Amino acid sequence: TAAFAVSPSLALSLEPRNAVTTRRATLESLWIAALFSAAPAVAGAAADAADTSSSVFLGTYTDPINHPGGTRTIELTGTSFAGYTLASVKGGGGQGEPESFELPAMVFDCPGRGQVGKFCISIDFSPKGGPKDFKGYWDEEKKGIRFVLDGNFWPKHQS
């Protein structure tokens, strides 16, 4: 009998399987298949919930304090999972920034007590030389994005 040991807890055997081993493997395969066939439905439900909250960020903004004259447009990429939706921030043309740039971002429901119904965004500014995980939230009263660490505010342009 030949066997190839992958690790102490896992080995591939070339000997024939008995009925118990085959039955167990079949049941495990069916369980795994059921789990993965349900995953798209669960992910789809999470994506629908995430799209509802993340859509508040869609649109064009300015950064009048740090980069006057420039714009940034937030678009969703269409990829959502477990309450997070990937987004893209495209912009430029403002004072002291590149003519154009594209930054990866992620939108999600804000975590924590008292945050129900509030929406957050995390933007990776590292392609522009800034921080990698800069968080902000949707300011419902002023209709724009308020950044947590520096208090900067991006007003949203109404179309």
Side-chain angles (χ1 to χ4, degrees), residues 60-146:
T60 302
Y61 300 81
T62 59
D63 184 356
I65 302 298
N66 294 329
H67 301 289
T71 61
R72 41 279 282 113
T73 300
I74 298 177
E75 301 171 339
L76 302 179
T77 66
T79 303
S80 297
F81 187 76
Y84 293 87
T85 301
L86 299 182
S88 173
V89 180
K90 297 176 184 175
Q95 184 178 359
E97 70 178 348
E99 192 58 39
S100 67
F101 59 81
E102 183 171 353
L103 308 172
M106 179 173 57
V107 296
F108 51 96
D109 292 336
C110 296
R113 289 185 176 203
Q115 302 300 314
V116 174
K118 295 186 180 176
F119 312 116
C120 287
I121 187 166
S122 177
I123 302 173
D124 179 358
F125 284 98
S126 62
K128 284 180 54 175
K132 185 168 182 62
D133 185 22
F134 207 65
K135 291 182 178 63
Y137 63 92
W138 177 253
D139 185 328
E140 182 60 36
E141 184 180 317
K142 294 193 175 197
K143 305 293 185 210
I145 301 171
R146 173 85 50 203

